[in-house]
Amino acid sequence: MGTTERKHVLITFGRSFLTLELARLMSAAGHRVTIVDSIPVGVTRFSHAADAFHRVPAPKFEPRAYCHALAKIVADEKVDMVIPIHEETDILSMMVDLFPPECELFLSDFETENSLHNKFEFQELLVARGITTLKYAQVRGPEDVAALDFDAPFALKECYSRGSQKVHKIMPDDPLDWVEFDPINPWIAQEWVSGTNYCTYSIVREGRIHAHATYPVDYAIGGSSCLNFRSVQHDGILEWISKFVRDMNFTGQIGFDFIEDPERGLFCIECNPRATSGIMMFEPADGVDRAFFGENDDVITPDPDVHKMIGLGMLLYGWRKASRRDRSLREFFRTFRNSSDVITSPGDQRPALLLPFAYLGILRSCYKYKVGLAEGFMHDHEWDGLRISE
């Protein structure tokens, strides 16, 4: 059940499984879907859900050219809504004036997006709103390292980082002379606690949640990049997010990482003001397209029995001890057997069949930028705090 009026939506980051799933959901609801990416062969390009594909400049390295290219496509093809998927969200939020006023960019203003993306500024937002946080400190240089007073393990990560990249578990007496400092992208030290980890995905318009999913971290790269997805109901998390996005008057896709300590309660570790893997738990029958256009009254949630996975990711990483945590290999194989792969879909098998060709483009990026597979997948769509203007 989708919206009654057919729209033309442009979705970015065509190589992503998130983009593939959203394209399928939009297409199933009757909308026209255009996909863009900076590599020529993204997995969504093979999908029947994509009506058109455009190769565009890499947003990280050519942000102005990227935004101008998207604005031209929007104007030429009369796009109704642009839905960014990854950190090109921040870049587009700085250049919204390029786009025709009749096209909506599904995001918030730059100051809001940046304050949520920057891990230190996000913690400062929580404190300003009276929300209890884990202990944290910003690390800009050697003097901040010397001032750290953690008496228990803590995480050290860049304020602009993603997908568990460069997250270090530090013991109080560990030397930190290896840390390199970037004035644009400093570090944040954050208390390391044990507990149950949850990730979320919400579609929000003007501070109101229209669709929402909460899923525990079961199998994950680096402990946070989830590889399998099962929907759970957590009223405390939904209440927390509802109040926060209402206070921020947020519009866009947004995800949060939580940890729940059995003694201390619920803490929000960080925010991702963009799409997260939770979008992959929705089915066409949910009519999630209505959430983007603000046409539903009740909050749309996934079926509680949904069990999905990124099959290739599970095969490459999920079986490893670090990814499955305390779960046995027997449990891993049971989960793998009982979960459906997000890339497969009845009537749309080409993305699965042609996935090796799609990954050739990713591997080419890995070679070009001299990074690993996980980093190469998103490297040219990352944003690390450098502001741009038209």
Side-chain angles (χ1 to χ4, degrees):
M1 174 170 46
T3 182
T4 56
E5 182 183 353
R6 188 173 191 260
K7 303 282 190 179
H8 183 185
V9 295
L10 183 153
I11 310 174
T12 64
F13 203 41
R15 74 193 72 173
S16 172
F17 295 153
L18 281 65
T19 302
L20 174 63
E21 189 61 30
L22 181 54
R24 285 169 169 168
L25 293 171
M26 286 289 182
S27 179
H31 305 293
R32 178 184 173 193
V33 179
T34 291
I35 303 298
V36 299
D37 203 333
S38 59
I39 62 173
V41 187
V43 67
T44 311
R45 185 173 186 177
F46 301 131
S47 173
H48 293 303
D51 292 282
F53 171 85
H54 295 272
R55 188 178 182 185
V56 293
K60 178 175 182 176
F61 303 110
E62 301 178 82
R64 294 178 184 83
Y66 175 80
C67 292
H68 280 277
L70 263 63
K72 185 177 188 305
I73 296 168
V74 165
D76 291 347
E77 302 191 7
K78 296 180 172 55
V79 172
D80 296 300
M81 176 180 283
V82 173
I83 305 177
I85 295 297
H86 196 45
E87 292 177 9
E88 64 276 6
T89 304
D90 300 84
I91 294 169
L92 288 167
S93 71
M94 286 184 272
M95 304 190 75
V96 293
D97 291 342
L98 288 177
F99 292 81
E102 57 270 19
C103 175
E104 179 182 6
L105 274 65
F106 195 66
L107 45 73
S108 289
D109 62 90
F110 171 72
E111 294 303 326
T112 298
E113 294 284 350
N114 182 52
S115 65
L116 297 174
H117 182 177
N118 184 300
K119 291 174 171 52
F120 175 76
E121 291 191 17
F122 174 62
Q123 295 299 317
E124 295 281 274
L125 272 178
L126 299 185
V127 171
R129 284 155 177 75
I131 300 173
T132 303
T133 69
L134 297 172
K135 182 178 180 180
Y136 68 96
Q138 191 173 49
V139 181
R140 288 189 169 275
E143 65 281 359
D144 292 327
V145 171
L148 292 174
D149 62 348
F150 289 86
D151 56 6
F154 61 94
L156 187 66
K157 52 192 175 183
E158 292 175 318
C159 289
Y160 295 104
S161 58
R162 72 293 300 167
S164 299
Q165 293 182 28
K166 300 181 181 178
V167 178
H168 307 274
K169 185 176 183 180
I170 308 296
M171 304 304 291
D173 296 327
D174 286 350
L176 293 176
D177 52 358
W178 52 268
V179 177
E180 298 180 356
F181 301 102
D182 181 344
I184 297 176
N185 188 11
W187 299 77
I188 179 174
Q190 189 175 39
E191 180 184 1
W192 192 290
V193 298
S194 299
T196 304
N197 293 87
Y198 296 94
C199 295
T200 71
Y201 170 76
S202 302
I203 302 171
V204 184
R205 290 191 70 94
E206 297 178 350
R208 180 187 166 197
I209 297 177
H210 284 265
H212 174 79
T214 297
Y215 48 107
V217 179
D218 292 337
Y219 299 87
I221 304 173
S224 65
S225 294
C226 292
L227 297 170
N228 74 306
F229 316 100
R230 57 184 179 92
S231 178
V232 298
Q233 180 176 333
H234 195 301
D235 294 337
I237 286 178
L238 181 57
E239 181 181 353
W240 191 103
I241 297 173
S242 298
K243 185 178 185 303
F244 183 81
V245 297
R246 184 171 61 247
D247 187 38
M248 296 292 295
N249 195 33
F250 182 81
T251 292
Q253 301 174 93
I254 193 166
F256 298 88
D257 292 345
F258 289 92
I259 189 164
E260 190 165 37
D261 183 283
E263 296 181 358
R264 298 173 59 188
L266 187 68
F267 296 93
C268 187
I269 302 171
E270 62 186 48
C271 174
N272 299 299
R274 54 186 180 271
T276 70
S277 298
I279 184 63
M280 295 189 287
M281 290 192 289
F282 291 93
E283 299 288 350
D286 297 324
V288 77
D289 65 299
R290 296 172 295 149
F292 286 91
F293 303 113
E295 297 180 348
N296 59 300
D297 295 323
D298 297 330
V299 177
I300 301 169
T301 57
D303 188 303
D305 295 325
V306 65
H307 288 86
K308 294 189 178 183
M309 66 175 176
I310 301 174
L312 182 61
M314 287 285 276
L315 287 173
L316 291 175
Y317 301 100
W319 57 271
R320 302 182 187 188
K321 187 175 182 179
S323 297
R324 54 186 167 87
R325 296 185 170 186
D326 298 327
R327 296 172 182 83
S328 66
L329 278 173
R330 184 188 296 266
E331 289 177 286
F332 165 78
F333 286 118
R334 185 185 304 118
T335 299
F336 190 90
R337 185 174 61 252
N338 295 330
S339 301
S340 58
D341 192 349
V342 296
I343 196 173
T344 62
S345 179
D348 192 30
Q349 296 295 339
R350 286 193 305 180
L353 294 173
L354 297 175
L355 186 61
F357 294 97
Y359 264 82
L360 287 176
I362 306 299
L363 292 172
R364 183 175 180 274
S365 293
C366 294
Y367 177 78
K368 179 179 180 180
Y369 300 120
K370 295 179 174 57
V371 295
L373 181 60
E375 295 87 351
F377 184 81
M378 62 186 79
H379 185 70
D380 62 356
H381 277 63
E382 295 171 356
W383 185 74
D384 293 335
L386 182 64
R387 303 198 181 199
I388 61 173
S389 61
E390 184 178 345

